[in-house]
């Protein structure tokens, strides 16, 4: 079956589009809301038990940074998935540009709480 014909088109539009929008829009928004709203609770053990994996590596002022990481990952996946229609050289340029933007963003914001973690990233 060819892509986006018949049954494949129905599944892609009925299931793929809502799930894609949920993943790309709602997930980062929920991460930002939860982390920023609960910023004062960083010392609460109960909060850290459930949400600590999202904020323990970052400075309190950058507690939302996990949402940025999710968006960066989605950008890399989008380039690799939708870039197959491009020539390899254009796909490579797009991927290099995405990595460069991510590196510049990390260098400008410096969201990590520990210096060693910042160096690794």
């Amino acid at each position: 079956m060819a892509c986006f014909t018949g049954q494949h088109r129905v599944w892609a539009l009925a299931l793929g589009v809502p799930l894609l929008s949920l993943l790309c829009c709602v997930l980062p928004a929920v991460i930002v809301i939860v982390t920023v709203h609960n910023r004062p609770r960083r010392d609460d053990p109960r909060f850290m038990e459930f949400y600590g994996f999202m904020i323990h590596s970052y400075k309190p002022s950058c507690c939302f940074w996990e949402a940025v990481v999710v968006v960066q990952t989605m950008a890399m996946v989008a380039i690799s998935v939708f870039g197959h229609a491009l020539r390899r050289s254009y796909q490579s340029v797009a991927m290099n540009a995405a990595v460069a933007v991510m590196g510049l963003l990390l260098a400008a914001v410096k969201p990590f709480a520990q210096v060693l973690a910042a160096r690794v990233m």
Side-chain angles (χ1 to χ4, degrees):
M1 175 183 290
C3 285
F4 292 106
T5 60
Q7 203 65 1
H8 183 260
R9 182 182 205 149
V10 172
W11 281 103
L13 294 177
L15 192 61
V17 171
L19 289 177
L20 184 67
S21 64
L22 184 73
L23 182 69
C24 292
C25 300
V26 175
L27 178 63
V30 167
I31 291 172
V32 168
I33 290 168
V34 166
T35 56
V36 171
H37 183 265
N38 292 301
R39 189 182 305 177
R41 296 180 58 199
R42 280 182 74 96
D43 297 331
D44 182 11
R46 183 108 170 114
F47 175 74
M48 290 303 283
E49 179 182 347
F50 291 104
Y51 300 109
F53 71 95
M54 289 193 292
I55 63 170
H56 77 281
S57 299
Y58 308 114
K59 296 175 186 173
S61 61
C62 295
C63 62
F64 60 88
W65 196 259
E66 193 64 30
V68 175
V69 172
V70 168
V71 171
Q72 290 173 349
T73 304
M74 283 189 272
M76 301 282 281
V77 170
I79 290 169
S80 66
V81 168
F82 299 114
H84 71 83
L86 302 172
R87 291 191 345 214
R88 286 186 184 152
S89 59
Y90 292 138
Q91 188 177 6
S92 149
V93 167
M95 193 66 80
N96 283 329
V99 170
V101 167
M102 291 174 210
L104 289 172
L105 194 59
L106 276 174
V109 177
K110 297 182 176 128
F112 294 101
Q114 289 113 8
V115 177
L116 188 59
R119 263 191 226 146
V120 169
M121 292 308 281

